Amino acid sequence: MDGERRRRTIKRVLSGIELLAAVLVLAGCAQNPPNIYGVPGTSPSPAAPWKAPATAIMKPAAAKASPTLPQDILKSVKSLTLFNIVDIALRNNPDTAAAWEDARSAAAAYGSELGAYYPQIGATGDANWLQDYSQQVRTSFRERSYSAAVQLNWLLFDFGGREALVDESRLSLMAADWTHNAAIQTVMLNVETAYYNYVSSKALFEAQQATYRQAETNLDAARDRHHAGVATIADVLQAKTALAQAKLALDSLEGQIQTTRGALATAMGIPANAPYDIEIPRNAANIEETLEKVDTYLALAEEQRPDLAAARAQAAKAEAHVRRVRAEAYPSINGAASWGRTRYDNTDVTGSNYGGSIQVSVPIFTGLSQSYNVFQAQADEKAARARLSSLEQQVVLQVWTSYYNLKTAVQRVRTTEDLLESATESYDVALGRYRAGVGSILDLLSAQSALEGARAQRVQANADWYVSLAQLARDTGTLNISSTGPASGGPAK
């Protein structure tokens, strides 16, 4: 009997040695780095690019359906207004969608943390089967039992740690909501800027068409004078050159229209080749209103900037985190209770078991981890406060800059109005003098060039005014500066 046992023991030892040897062999065969789908996990050298296996190349996602637009907007898709465009952008832009989902995620996290105030209840159940043999009495027995239990655990007191944790999640939710609001305002600013760039391109194209027609008129006048023998062929050639230059500028603006149109479509969250168009607003920029003092807008930004509010919430969250980490150094009190029933098949006995306890947990020594956790939380809070201070300074600079940019834009609109009026009169006079034979072709072409530049500057000044107004609206944290105007409105009264 003892010899049989020794043989079994030796056999088990040998089997263990064989298993250990196999493990060592496999470890020696391990590759560094391991293969990915049959190819090396990294490139052979720093200078060589990694060649991915065909199975690892990410396939492009299936083409998405075009964004769903409201029926009332679809009816006027060829003549969208700025309000339609902003509506489309807020529905389809991925930036607002991502910020909204982040806020929803933070809301779910807040709801989860609120569960710390309630007891945690769970149920367990098991089935046991046991067969045993007693050598002393040379008998065996079998036993089957089934049990089920309900357990309750409840955190009763932890020196404010639970409250601080809930405050953290609440402030995270508020920061996410403010960030969503900031994303909406950023999208609106981007859409308005893209809109006025497109409007400006179309308006410049119309202005250049007028210049082209005037260049044709100039060429006809030069030809008439040449046929009458009162002008040389040089006048005709110069007029032809001016006409060709006007046509070249017209062709360039056609391409610019398409690029700005694609940029506006992208800002709306729809494909650049989507079939849509806009009409050029014919109402002039309302610049008769006067701006408030810059301090008024600074105070407005201090109160309404959503990114500033988000930064304040993040700083408050960091402060709550410090409180939570500090509370971990103090005792916590938990209540526990359980109740269950067990049934034994072989004896047909069923019994209940229950219990309750109050548990006090006191951290005594944590290897200095607690001290360093508090130090880290305090450093994070100071960093959040510093970022808040930096953002506050940036907000002041942004409002200051956009305010004076708008004031400059107002002056440019007024100046270009006078410039266009005088350039138009100058061209009319030069054309009349040339036709009457008392003016030169150079005077006429110079007047035409000045008028062309005045038209372009007028269009650009109007666009800059609207963009500057939208920028001030965004920098002050309000969607509307005033109720007037087709964009964010005119300057505030």
Side-chain angles (χ1 to χ4, degrees), residues 72-360:
D72 57 334
I73 294 180
L74 287 173
K75 294 177 182 178
S76 58
V77 74
K78 294 298 183 181
S79 57
L80 295 177
T81 66
L82 177 57
F83 295 110
N84 297 144
I85 289 171
V86 170
D87 185 16
I88 295 171
L90 294 180
R91 291 169 184 258
N92 296 293
N93 192 284
D95 293 338
T96 56
W100 182 60
E101 293 296 348
D102 287 341
R104 286 164 55 85
S105 174
Y110 174 50
S112 174
E113 297 299 346
L114 286 174
Y117 284 109
Y118 300 97
Q120 309 298 309
I121 302 175
T124 61
D126 60 73
N128 299 291
W129 181 81
L130 174 66
Q131 177 173 333
D132 200 0
Y133 173 78
S134 175
Q135 186 175 5
Q136 294 178 350
V137 298
R138 296 185 178 277
T139 184
S140 64
F141 66 91
R142 296 178 180 179
E143 179 182 88
R144 289 193 299 270
S145 64
Y146 308 92
S147 63
V150 178
Q151 299 171 339
L152 179 146
N153 289 279
W154 197 351
L155 175 62
L156 302 177
F157 185 71
D158 67 345
F159 286 89
R162 172 175 52 186
E163 180 183 0
L165 180 62
V166 172
D167 284 346
E168 276 191 71
S169 60
R170 181 190 300 111
L171 291 164
S172 291
L173 172 57
M174 294 174 62
D177 285 330
W178 285 118
T179 301
H180 177 220
N181 291 358
I184 289 176
Q185 294 192 1
T186 299
V187 167
M188 291 187 65
L189 174 62
N190 293 339
V191 167
E192 290 179 4
T193 301
Y195 171 81
Y196 285 116
N197 286 338
Y198 185 31
V199 167
S200 175
S201 298
K202 297 188 75 170
L204 285 172
F205 184 77
E206 287 188 356
Q208 190 59 34
Q209 284 179 321
T211 299
Y212 183 78
R213 290 192 295 269
Q214 289 172 342
E216 289 180 322
T217 301
N218 297 342
L219 179 58
D220 291 340
R223 283 171 175 168
D224 291 341
R225 291 196 60 189
H226 178 61
H227 291 158
V230 293
T232 65
I233 190 63
D235 286 12
V236 176
L237 295 177
Q238 287 178 325
K240 280 186 176 181
T241 300
L243 180 63
Q245 291 174 338
K247 182 61 169 66
L248 181 62
L250 203 60
D251 295 338
S252 298
L253 286 171
E254 284 183 330
Q256 182 178 332
I257 286 175
Q258 295 305 317
T259 56
T260 54
R261 179 186 178 280
L264 178 56
T266 302
M268 286 191 287
I270 61 178
N273 60 345
Y276 83 95
D277 208 346
I278 65 172
E279 292 184 357
I280 301 178
R282 301 300 176 181
N283 52 321
N286 185 7
I287 62 171
E288 297 305 322
E289 301 181 37
T290 58
L291 287 169
E292 295 283 355
K293 292 182 179 180
V294 67
D295 291 342
T296 302
Y297 295 103
L298 290 173
L300 189 62
E302 180 76 14
E303 179 183 350
Q304 298 198 24
R305 275 286 289 260
D307 53 345
L308 198 56
R312 292 193 186 105
Q314 290 290 357
K317 173 192 171 184
E319 181 183 357
H321 182 67
V322 172
R323 290 191 284 113
R324 179 170 71 88
V325 174
R326 281 177 173 166
E328 292 175 355
Y330 299 102
S332 61
I333 303 175
N334 287 270
S338 63
W339 177 87
R341 289 182 67 82
T342 303
R343 179 178 183 275
Y344 295 92
D345 271 4
N346 56 333
T347 61
D348 200 22
V349 174
T350 301
S352 297
N353 48 78
Y354 52 87
S357 64
I358 297 293
Q359 302 169 352
V360 179

